[in-house]
Amino acid sequence: MSNDENPRGEQPEGGAPAAPDASAPPPATEVSGRQRLKAGLWPPRLSRAQLIVAVLLFGLGLGLAIQVRSTSDDSALRGARQEDLVRILDEVDDRTQRLEDEKQRLDDQRTELENSSDQAEEARKQTLEKERQLGILAGTVAAQGPGITLTITDPSGAVAPDMLLDAIQELRAAGAEAIQVNGVRVVANTYFSGDAGDVEVDGKKIEAPYEFTVIGKPQDLEPALNIPGGVVQTLEKEQATVLVERSDEIAVDALRPAQRPDYARSSSP
């Protein structure tokens, strides 16, 4: 029987099965939902406008992340009270004012030198005044004026030399002009050595209580010691007791011998 006579390709009775028609199209394979989703998402088909928006959003997100990270960093003053922050700000303003006053003083001196009818005499007076000031800084002359007395008691012997040095540096930064510690004059090359409870200043042993006699503006010196995380808090963590007293008249009378330099010579004729 021919294909025309058997269009369905049915197997003739009692005969072999009919061969498949090679010209017939292959059966369609069924596509799953996951395959259709994958084909729709990859490869991505982005327009130019979408690509630009994506880049801008990435940049914005990166900037926000950096800002959040920077603002989340720990700050030394994060836990400070409002009155402490105000006091620190006042101290900075006071330091700025002192620098402005010093600048004005130097400008006035220059004007006096330029306008004085007797410039030689004016220069001599200023030289003597500068010598007195340098003598105070070098510790070769006594000084007096307003200031504070800082007394540190150390019952547990835990106050280390570097803590006392921190107190000196904080006082200098606040405008201290003359300092002595337990009868030892503090100068530019003063150093603290030893161990906690066994402290030496410039090679001279001192014992608690440690008494700092400081000449300067009391309104600047005392707040500088009490800033959050400053000298007073550090010492109190070591079970030390700190007492700061203001005074209108402080005497710093411990003296240093004048030393002639071995190598340095004046360059002026």
Side-chain angles (χ1 to χ4, degrees):
M1 180 182 297
S2 64
N3 289 336
D4 294 337
E5 296 175 353
N6 188 12
R8 296 184 180 180
E10 296 178 353
Q11 180 178 352
E13 295 181 2
D21 189 354
S23 62
T29 59
E30 183 178 355
V31 180
S32 66
R34 180 178 298 178
Q35 290 174 329
R36 288 197 300 270
L37 178 61
K38 182 178 180 181
L41 294 178
W42 190 264
R45 299 177 179 84
L46 295 177
S47 65
R48 183 177 181 181
Q50 291 174 326
L51 182 60
I52 293 174
V53 171
V55 172
L56 292 176
L57 290 176
F58 174 78
L60 178 61
L62 180 61
L64 290 175
I66 294 175
Q67 181 178 4
V68 170
R69 182 176 180 180
S70 63
T71 54
S72 62
D73 291 340
D74 291 337
S75 172
L77 302 177
R78 183 174 298 277
R81 298 173 299 176
Q82 182 177 1
E83 52 267 28
D84 292 332
L85 295 176
V86 172
R87 184 171 56 190
I88 294 172
L89 181 60
D90 291 340
E91 181 185 359
V92 173
D93 291 340
D94 291 338
R95 292 184 184 181
T96 303
Q97 186 61 47
R98 287 199 305 272
L99 293 175
E100 291 291 340
D101 294 343
E102 178 67 14
K103 177 179 179 297
Q104 184 61 45
R105 185 182 66 81
L106 294 174
D107 289 341
D108 292 342
Q109 287 183 358
R110 183 185 62 182
T111 302
E112 289 175 1
L113 286 172
E114 292 174 348
N115 300 332
S116 176
S117 59
D118 189 355
Q119 294 185 1
E121 179 63 20
E122 185 64 29
R124 188 186 69 84
K125 291 180 180 179
Q126 292 191 16
T127 300
L128 292 176
E129 176 64 18
K130 181 62 68 175
E131 180 182 3
R132 185 188 67 83
Q133 294 175 359
L134 293 176
I136 292 175
L137 294 177
T140 58
V141 298
Q144 61 182 10
I148 64 169
T149 300
L150 168 66
T151 304
I152 303 172
T153 58
D154 182 23
S156 60
V159 175
D162 59 337
M163 299 178 185
L164 301 180
L165 179 60
D166 288 342
I168 294 292
Q169 293 175 336
E170 197 65 52
L171 290 168
R172 281 174 170 168
E177 298 176 352
I179 307 173
Q180 69 182 35
V181 181
N182 286 35
V184 179
R185 187 69 170 266
V186 175
V187 294
N189 59 350
T190 291
Y191 65 93
F192 288 76
S193 58
D195 299 315
D198 186 18
V199 181
E200 294 183 356
V201 183
D202 293 339
K204 181 178 180 180
K205 184 175 180 179
I206 60 175
E207 296 179 352
Y210 308 110
E211 183 174 278
F212 292 66
T213 306
V214 188
I215 293 178
K217 187 177 180 181
Q219 294 84 347
D220 295 336
L221 298 176
E222 182 178 3
L225 299 172
N226 287 289
I227 62 175
V231 173
V232 172
Q233 287 189 3
T234 300
L235 291 170
E236 288 177 347
K237 288 180 181 179
E238 302 298 333
Q239 307 304 316
T241 303
V242 182
L243 177 64
V244 180
E245 295 179 322
R246 300 186 184 187
S247 177
D248 295 330
E249 193 68 26
I250 290 287
V252 175
D253 51 10
L255 301 180
R256 293 280 187 134
Q259 296 181 350
R260 182 182 180 88
D262 296 328
Y263 304 102
R265 296 291 183 271
S266 174
S267 60
S268 59

